[in-house]
Amino acid sequence: MTVSPPLAPLTPSADRLTWRTALRRLVPANRKARVGLAIIGVYVLVAAVGPWIVQSLMGLSPTELTGDVLQSPSGAHPLGTTQDGSDVLAQLVVGTRTSLLVGALAAVVSTTLSVAVGLIGGYYGGTVDSVLGALTNAFLVLPGLPLVIVLAGYLRGRGGPFAVALVIGLTGWAWGARSKRVQTLSLRGRDFVVGARLLGESNLRIMLVEVLPNLLPVISATLMLSLVTSILAVSGLDFLGIGDLNSVSWGTMLYFAQQRQAMVAGAWWWFVPPGVAITVLGAAAGLVNFGIDELTNPRLRGAGGKAAKTRKPRKKGVR
Amino acid sequence: MTPEPHPSSRTPADSEPAPVLEAVDVTVHYPVHHGPRGETVHALENASLRLRPGRTVALVGESGSGKSTFARTLALAQEPTSGSILLHGEPASARGRRARRAYARRVQMVLQDPFGSLNPLHRVRYLLERPLRLHGSVTGREDVEQRLRALLERVRLTPPERFLDAFPHELSGGQRQRVAIARALAVQPEVLLGDELVSMLDVSIRLEILNLLAALRDEEHLAMLYITHDIAGARYFTDEIAVMYAGEIVEYGTAEDVTQTPAHPYTRLLLDSTPDPDRMEFLAGRTNDVEDTAPDAADDDYGEPPDLVRPPSGCRFHPRCPFARPECSTDRPPRVQVADGHWAHCWLLVQPAAEETRAPSATTPEMTL
Ligand SMILES: Nc1ncnc2c1ncn2[C@@H]1O[C@H](COP(=O)(O)OP(=O)(O)OP(=O)(O)O)[C@@H](O)[C@H]1O
Ligand SMILES: [Mg+2]
């Protein structure tokens, strides 16, 4: 809160935030962000219907061991086969589903945690905020990846890929909590929140019905980004061989390709597809991140527009 | 309904009802965040006020004088630095959901800015339904629907169907203000704290709303705090007027007394500047209504707005007062009774008392500006 008159009317852009426009704002009005989202959309599509097409329509299996060992791409096996004779395309497509599901679970867990911590801390302030802030900072300085590696190594594939997802989600919420807290802080002093309190609304209802809907754009951005970073993290763990090696994912594909020396054998069709899948997804995440940053940080956008007044500029990405 | 100025001849003497809501020596200091540590904005200083059932008190003063701060403190939206708020003589508390709800049922506030006070994500229906469900003991869907319509008709948002499903951004400032008023009235409170209640409304609607409020005051004994920039208008609508300057109540009395025989130079200034736009440069456009018409404030000697972080010593008005004396800049002026129920904080009222016995400032000849 500042000394300036507290009565500055909301800017029109914030004014026009209704349920409908809020939903529309889930798709950011920025080209980079849109391209990134479109790429992620393709992945989701592949994960949704890909396995069915590959397995039922094309009759390929990701796990069946055939006699066709380490074959280069052909009509029967569009992306060739592994050393066990499994089809790479089938593995890639099924792996996309696994990776996305695992990533989605991790993202939902971490986003939910970040919203809860940020909203409660920012809304109540005081001691609650201090405690939650300390917790957030603790998780921020925790060396995330090493911790995940240790925990995942302890699990050793027990609990399947979703146990790993939980671990990633539980360790990756801190950045998101920060941005939610800042947003909530600025909303808390707004007249409509004060008004709801003066009407006798309960704190829970104010948080859920008055504040939370106004956080939707930020929440959706966080969800998107943590989806991708979680996928990357899971792939990394799988590649290191400390994920669930029984599942078919991009990470386990790379793990086995490396174990069986696909590189030495010149079997590029084995390790390039999952590598490209991961890289492109990472790039998409980068695009979304840059795009959202441009939308929320007026300094990156030439002459500052309306968003300059409605949102706090943030140094980091939205995550 | 014809606009009918309510009789301002009512004196506070005729059977004063006991106050519903009372502020006793309330002080609010806001911390300054981007200044040296420990500095505060002295937004409200030792303010006392009584709101009685069926009575209206106006709070007038230029922008930044602490009117909203005072009202928010009365609504328990702002913790006072010192002093207390009494509801029916008992210290008021809004700690915990139960206490807050009980307080909300009796005391409602309409916030100043209708563009900020309504959540842009909710429809008018929701905004008005909540107070009904929280406080109105509604019996069912039908009942709610009926009361919603009645509320909207009361504030002249007709036909109700047109407004029930509107979002705030589809409404004009005046329409939003009326939704905000309806929201407070839905609770059927004992006290209504209105921060610039009608300043956003067209003149015709303004009169209708004021008549509605006057009816509530007279028939349901609503106690009301009426914050406004318009001291002349306040005279016709309110029983008593408190004039605020830089966080202090500098003059208090019946609407009649304060507007007819103002005792404080600042009150005279407010009165003089109200009808005559030329005079307003004296106030340097510090009041909202004249922002566009007032000439440049910078080259005006009297135009300095008071610095509330380091308020002027003595009388806070002395840097802008045309009659300032030496003591005005050093000592806080005492409270001087000028008539029954009419007092002001001003040294000018003290000095002549040595020569004359009574000193109604209106008789001081050189006080014309
Ligand atoms: N939350 C706050 N934090 C710090 N300072 C504040 C806060 N709210 C108000 N102030 C300051 O306190 C002083 C009084 O403000 P207030 O809003 O009460 O004035 P006002 O009389 O209502 O003005 P207006 O007529 O413009 O509404 C101003 O200087 C304002 O900047
Ligand atoms: Mg105000």
Side-chain angles (χ1 to χ4, degrees), chain A residues 1-7, chain B residues 30-31 41 43 61-70 78 112 195-196 229 288 308:
Chain A
M1 253 163 248
T2 60
V3 200
S4 57
L7 314 164
Chain B
Y30 293 112
V41 179
E62 63 188 354
S63 200
S65 54
K67 306 183 296 296
S68 297
T69 301
F70 199 4
Q78 167 71 44
Q112 178 167 2
D195 199 347
E196 310 263 353
H229 282 110
N288 280 353
L308 293 179

Side-chain angles (χ1 to χ4, degrees), chain A residues 1-3 7 9-10 14-19 191-192 194-195 197-202 205 209-210 213-214, chain B residues 33-34 41 75 100-101 104 108 111-112 115-122 126 130-131 134-135 169 176 183:
Chain A
M1 253 163 248
T2 60
V3 200
L7 314 164
L10 299 180
D15 245 0
R16 236 163 270 132
L17 183 64
T18 66
W19 283 103
D191 273 359
F192 64 81
V194 173
R197 201 137 24 93
L198 290 182
L199 206 59
E201 296 278 21
S202 67
R205 193 179 179 103
V209 181
E210 308 289 339
N214 284 287
Chain B
H33 285 305
H34 37 250
V41 179
R100 165 57 75 190
R101 228 168 248 190
Q108 274 296 307
L111 294 167
Q112 178 167 2
F115 289 91
S117 61
L118 306 175
N119 191 333
L121 295 177
H122 296 317
Y126 178 87
R130 286 309 297 165
L134 280 167
H135 303 288
H169 71 85
R176 291 185 204 205
R183 212 167 179 228

Side-chain angles (χ1 to χ4, degrees), chain A residues 27-95:
Chain A
V27 181
N30 174 286
R31 242 183 71 216
K32 283 182 196 157
R34 286 192 168 170
V35 171
L37 284 177
I39 295 174
I40 294 172
V42 171
Y43 275 82
V44 171
L45 197 70
V46 169
V49 299
W52 175 73
I53 292 177
V54 171
Q55 288 171 306
S56 300
L57 293 189
M58 300 169 65
L60 302 170
S61 162
T63 45
E64 189 192 343
L65 312 178
T66 63
D68 306 335
V69 168
L70 218 53
Q71 289 194 345
S72 58
S74 64
H77 301 286
L79 286 180
T81 59
T82 70
Q83 199 162 35
D84 298 326
S86 309
D87 185 77
V88 173
L89 177 67
Q91 284 200 344
L92 185 72
V93 169
V94 171

